Amino acid sequence: MNNVPDNKDFTMTTSGREGIRGWLNPTRYGWERVSYWLQRLTGLGLLIYFIGHVYETSSLTNGINAWNSMLQLTQTLGGHLFLLFVIGASTFHTVNGIRLIFTESGKGLGKPGRPDYPYHAASLNYKQKSGIWVAILLACIAMLYGGMVLFGQGG
Amino acid sequence: MTETLLYDIIIVGSGLAGLRAAISAASKNKNLKIAVISKVQVMRSHSVSAEGGTAAVLYENEGDNLESHIYDTIKGSDFLADQDVAELLVKKIPYEIIQLDRWGMPWSRKENGRIDQRKFGGYSFPRATYAQDKVGFYEMQTLYDTCLKYENITFFNEWFCTSILHNSNTFQGFTCIEIKNGHFVNMVAPSGIICTGGAGRIYSFSTYAYSSTPDGLDMAYRAGLALKDMEFVQFHPTGIIPSGILITEGARGEGGYLINSKGERFMKNYAKDKLELASRDVVSRAMITEIQAGRGFKHVSGVDCLKLDLTHLGDEKIKGKLAGIREIGIKFSGVDVINEPIEVRPVCHYMMGGIHSNVDGATELNGLWVAGEAACNSLHGANRLGANSTSECLVWGAITGELAANYSIKYKSNSINVDNQQISTEEKRIFDRIFRGKGDVNPYEIRKELTDTMDENAYVYRTESSLVEGLKKIRQLKSLYWKHVDDQVKEYNTNFLNVMELDSMLRVAEVVLLGALNRRESRGAHSRIDYKERDDNNFLKHTLAYYNDDGEPKMNWHPVTFTRYAPAERRY
Amino acid sequence: MGVNFNMASLRLRESQIMKIHYLTGIVSLFAVAIHILFRLIMPFGQSLLYQNVISNYHNIFYALLLESILVLISIHGFNGLRIILIELKQSSRWESTITILVLISMIGIIAYGTRTIVIASGL
Amino acid sequence: MGEENKKVVLKVFRTNYNKNESSHYDEFEVPVNRWTTVLDALLHVKSYSDTSVGIRYSCRMASCGSCGMKINGRPSLACYTKISELNKDVIVCEPLSNFPRIRDLVTDFSQFFDHHKKIEPFIHNDLVPLDIKDKDDLVEFEQSPKEVDDYLQFSYCIKCGLCYSACPTVATDPSFPGPQALSQTYRYIADNRDNDKSTRFNILDERHGIWRCHFAGSCSAVCPKGVDPALGIQLLKGHMMGFSKNDKKVANLRAKNKE
Ligand SMILES: Cc1cc2nc3c(=O)[nH]c(=O)nc-3n(C[C@H](O)[C@H](O)[C@H](O)COP(=O)(O)OP(=O)(O)OC[C@H]3O[C@@H](n4cnc5c(N)ncnc54)[C@H](O)[C@@H]3O)c2cc1C
Ligand code: HEM
Ligand code: SF4
Ligand code: F3S
Ligand code: FES
């Protein structure tokens, strides 16, 4: 315990720090960076949706009219698009999240070994990348299906 | 007044020697305040480039013995080594190897868990202790990390030392420039250790890091200390073209061949027992002879060369033991050594000479020691065996660290009485005469001319006329109107440092040439076409050069210490 | 500092928090899956009819499911928010503030959602 | 030097000291051949065009870690990037992100080094004397080649800071140790000469510690030495969570008389 670093040592010199600008172009370092960015974005998006959803359902307590007028709000084009985003986001976040739970517990990354030039980082392997692609793909499929359900009913 | 910092021990240079000295001193007494100054960030010192191995006798019950290491070293030196020094190295280095193991060094291992060793040029037993082909790098890392254990070691990253402060014959401190902001600072202490490494950047074709310039040697030289045996410059047989980056001798130790344009292993004509694993001077001379006889290759850049063939070693051995070499080959030469031979040429690699010291690394100034490549305690004589240099750094790092610590404990800071005159003279020298100096010749062009001259006139083979011509050229360059710094900003001014480095290069190059001119014999790495034989009657002695106020250096001689072996003919 | 009273003693190790984060993530995956399945067993439009929704709520197991989703996702989501925020700016003041605000919002949302569930399920 | 004598334009980031630190880019035309590295080109500029370019360099063979900079937007070693590989006529050199700037391409590494120091990067072992005092201690640890391979890769780190420059967490969080320091922790934990996990776990199990890595992988993508810091970090997390069992057998000293 006595070795916990003392954060006060580090002054807040952010000079030279990339800051949130570093998020702007998620593709420049490869798929893992895209995954990082999407996981954050979808996580935040879902949180907003979740808060909204809890608020939305609270109208149940005020009877059928309140519920219906609340539903009315979501039955718009914008509402449907937002719902579509939520479907995609939750699919991606969940699938990628499961991948990350494994990864961040050290599973599926390969073993350290003697690196051979030209170096290929074991951790940025095919399994990981395909995990990300699958998450994106499933998110797209879910959105397509969701779109069919939502818009198919002439919403 | 300039700022003054007081420490108990100041170590200039943070290569293997400097860091080893710091740990040795720091563990001696926790209250000693130790400063480690380096013109590069501490862990970036040139020592990280060492590749092949560190020589030590580890397996006495498997056929190796200390005596054999001592003899190999002395024979390698062409009998110019001080024999007591060689003995001391050989006795101490096994400790250092095991010590590094305790500190986390990733030595390459045998299947039974013991430390592995490989063959190296000039040794009669596989004695080069290795960690893949990045020995120096791993040793540096181990020592650096271990230094972080000691709260009493302070690193001064990117501080450039310019001169030694002393009081007649007692060391007092150093003057430095903090590169980041350009401040001029005095560092004073009862004792100091100079570990500023080699100076191979006085040659153009060189394995050294850009930071390996002779400012440390020059600083001692200007303070009145002698430079010893500077004419002995080692040319390593296998530097790649055009960069001069080294292919370690370990590549030949693992079984690599040198071939000429007829596809012959020509070394059989020069060293029929040891072939490619003869000592470096022998192999380099053989290579130049082959090239001059027209049996060389032409590199696409137009340079003559020979080839190093590793293709028969196989994929697995190369990837396992020479991974770094393969990487260097692919990246810097465009050749994958698994598939094809790589073009190589003898390249400036090591300076046997340095600041004159005794067997303990003590200099002519009380309280000042030297260790590592900057020192010349005469371990290597006229030619160093590969893998003996990192050994030297570790052993004398440890010795001088301890001696300096004892000295500082004994004398404390009350021996210090800094001469302000010296400080202001130094301030004038570097700021008035260099930083604000005037000139119209581009110093970088001078530097190029200087290093090309050295390549041309003081390479593997030397003659009276090449040396005289070289000396003339250097003196002419010196007299040109070049000492000026275009960049007048204080912060991180590398232009200023480059010009200061050049100033020292010119002086030290002159000493190298003059020493070579005076030594009218061929011994070890110094081969004179006009004096082909070793001449033990006249030249079995060390060269000393003393500074003489920008006049010609004062040259002198110094006897060699013999304890057990009389000079004999040297064959491999 | 007032905010920082004796947080240290209450403080979970960051590895414990991450375990909770992962666990809440995975468990809520199953919980949400059931929640959505309930919506898909009948045509989507019908699933949103007030009567159907309320009758779902009256199923005590479903209500408990909703409650657990509420708790799990609040913990997971707000912890995620906390992570992002403490990476953006460092000072013990900011961090304590974030921790407290996140805890308050978490509890607030859980309370507010629980109120809905309790009332709608007619308990 | 014969061969294709091409020219490229180097666009170099400059801090301007005179005009209150407003920065700009300078352009220089330099001749290149197939071996020219970005470092060679910059040194050419320094020698013959503008001596004031601030740049840090030493070994020119990718082992000292001095010359990290952003080349065409990507953290790279200047001595390890050949112009011919870049396939561009304009090459943009900028200082590494996430380090305070000192001058032009030179950045301040003190915080980066501090992070490294904080993780106590040296062997901890309370069973064996770590400093050799006398001849009786003159035995090495028994460590098989396979056990060396468990940590060797992480030992390749040259402290160049490229990973630190690329990591999105470091970009906003100066207290986060960063990929270099974290992977060095793994290096020592994986080394079977070390027997003290708990101290290092305690150091890292902290608000701004190891958990602030979200496996963005950018560190491993830019590492010039194949260290793969992301791998070390995730493996370390697995150990800290107790999800991966630690099957490391702490090394013994070789019995003195055993062959
Ligand atoms: C490519 C290569 C491979 C090699 N391989 C091997 C090998 O396999 N085995 C072997 O035994 N040897 C080898 N050597 C030789 C060996 O590496 C060196 O002799 C040894 O590393 C020198 O170490 P050092 O501690 O003396 O100095 P260096 O490591 O050279 O360090 C010099 C230090 O001094 C500092 N310094 C210099 N001037 C100043 C100043 N004015 N102010 C402040 N600081 C200053 C520098 O910053 C640096 O920290 C090799 C050499 C080269 C070039
Ligand atoms: C349903 C299954 C879910 C799983 C498996 C899951 C998993 C994860 C994982 C693994 C992370 C990354 C943590 C890290 O890298 O440090 C994460 C982050 C996050 N999650 Fe989830 N999550 C799920 C659902 C949700 C939901 C529904 C929300 C919204 C309320 C949410 C909000 C967040 C937020 C805000 C983050 C922070 C982003 C970050 O740290 O980069 N998650 N989740
Ligand atoms: S991990 Fe790689 S990128 Fe990071 S400092 Fe070490 S060598 Fe450089
Ligand atoms: S880039 Fe940063 S987020 Fe983790 S995987 Fe590497 S440390
Ligand atoms: S100069 Fe040493 S890494 Fe580039």
Side-chain angles (χ1 to χ4, degrees), chain A residues 29 32-33 36 104 123-124, chain D residues 163-164 166-170 176 178-180 182 210 212-221 229-231 233-234 237:
Chain A
Y29 295 114
E32 294 75 10
R33 185 71 171 247
Y36 161 86
E104 299 194 6
S123 67
L124 310 183
Chain D
C163 53
Y164 197 75
C167 175
T169 304
V170 175
F176 175 60
Q180 190 273 343
L182 290 172
I210 189 167
R212 298 293 80 82
C213 161
H214 308 281
F215 192 55
S218 315
C219 49
S220 295
L231 172 63
I233 301 170
Q234 313 320 315
K237 285 181 186 166

Side-chain angles (χ1 to χ4, degrees), chain D residues 78-98:
Chain D
C79 70
Y80 208 49
T81 308
K82 279 189 287 191
I83 301 226
S84 53
E85 294 167 342
L86 291 170
N87 263 326
K88 287 261 162 50
D89 293 328
V90 178
I91 286 147
V92 185
C93 301
E94 294 161 304
L96 289 176
S97 314
N98 302 344

Side-chain angles (χ1 to χ4, degrees), chain D residues 182-227:
Chain D
L182 290 172
S183 59
Q184 288 314 296
T185 313
Y186 183 76
R187 178 243 175 276
Y188 281 98
I189 283 178
D191 189 332
N192 68 350
R193 290 169 290 189
D194 188 287
N195 75 353
D196 178 12
K197 288 186 301 196
S198 55
T199 305
R200 296 205 181 81
F201 283 3
N202 279 336
I203 296 174
L204 296 185
D205 199 357
E206 196 261 345
R207 257 189 201 155
H208 296 281
I210 189 167
W211 307 105
R212 298 293 80 82
C213 161
H214 308 281
F215 192 55
S218 315
C219 49
S220 295
V222 298
C223 176
K225 291 273 126 183
V227 173

Side-chain angles (χ1 to χ4, degrees), chain D:
Chain D
M1 215 131 290
E3 287 248 302
E4 341 106 77
N5 253 329
K6 236 187 94 184
K7 291 203 164 188
V8 295
V9 172
L10 276 193
K11 212 172 144 192
V12 183
F13 180 91
R14 307 300 302 271
T15 32
N16 194 337
Y17 277 91
N18 306 326
K19 289 179 223 140
N20 248 342
E21 311 236 352
S22 70
S23 48
H24 63 280
Y25 290 85
D26 277 342
E27 296 194 1
F28 305 98
E29 206 180 47
V30 282
V32 296
N33 61 36
R34 77 158 102 156
W35 296 283
T36 312
T37 60
V38 173
L39 179 65
D40 294 334
L42 282 165
L43 291 180
H44 188 274
V45 167
K46 192 161 177 64
S47 301
Y48 303 112
S49 310
D50 183 345
T51 55
S52 68
V53 174
I55 167 171
R56 177 186 282 136
Y57 61 97
S58 177
C59 72
R60 61 85 174 84
M61 55 187 277
S63 38
C64 76
S66 298
C67 64
M69 61 182 66
K70 280 196 299 186
I71 298 173
N72 289 348
R74 196 180 168 84
S76 319
L77 295 179
C79 70
Y80 208 49
T81 308
K82 279 189 287 191
I83 301 226
S84 53
E85 294 167 342
L86 291 170
N87 263 326
K88 287 261 162 50
D89 293 328
V90 178
I91 286 147
V92 185
C93 301
E94 294 161 304
L96 289 176
S97 314
N98 302 344
F99 290 89
R101 288 165 190 164
I102 294 179
R103 182 176 185 184
D104 300 347
L105 301 172
V106 179
T107 49
D108 183 351
F109 270 59
S110 30
Q111 192 175 70
F112 175 78
F113 294 152
D114 281 351
H115 279 305
H116 177 71
K117 182 171 177 171
K118 285 232 161 103
I119 59 120
E120 305 198 2
F122 35 80
I123 298 281
H124 294 217
N125 189 324
D126 47 11
L127 304 172
V128 169
L130 290 180
D131 293 306
I132 294 184
K133 293 281 188 297
D134 55 50
K135 230 179 158 65
D136 291 339
D137 288 337
L138 210 59
V139 281
E140 71 272 42
F141 279 104
E142 270 181 341
Q143 189 171 55
S144 70
K146 209 205 123 291
E147 285 162 339
V148 174
D149 285 354
D150 286 343
Y151 67 88
L152 187 71
Q153 159 180 3
F154 303 101
S155 229
Y156 264 45
C157 171
I158 59 173
K159 303 186 182 71
C160 61
L162 300 191
C163 53
Y164 197 75
S165 175
C167 175
T169 304
V170 175
T172 58
D173 188 348
S175 316
F176 175 60
Q180 190 273 343
L182 290 172
S183 59
Q184 288 314 296
T185 313
Y186 183 76
R187 178 243 175 276
Y188 281 98
I189 283 178
D191 189 332
N192 68 350
R193 290 169 290 189
D194 188 287
N195 75 353
D196 178 12
K197 288 186 301 196
S198 55
T199 305
R200 296 205 181 81
F201 283 3
N202 279 336
I203 296 174
L204 296 185
D205 199 357
E206 196 261 345
R207 257 189 201 155
H208 296 281
I210 189 167
W211 307 105
R212 298 293 80 82
C213 161
H214 308 281
F215 192 55
S218 315
C219 49
S220 295
V222 298
C223 176
K225 291 273 126 183
V227 173
D228 199 354
L231 172 63
I233 301 170
Q234 313 320 315
L235 292 175
L236 190 55
K237 285 181 186 166
H239 284 303
M240 291 175 76
M241 287 277 201
F243 291 168
S244 321
K245 61 177 185 311
N246 191 354
D247 51 5
K248 181 175 91 175
K249 257 188 31 233
V250 177
N252 292 317
L253 291 181
R254 173 176 59 88
K256 185 83 200 242
N257 294 316
K258 209 177 111 199
E259 173 277 320

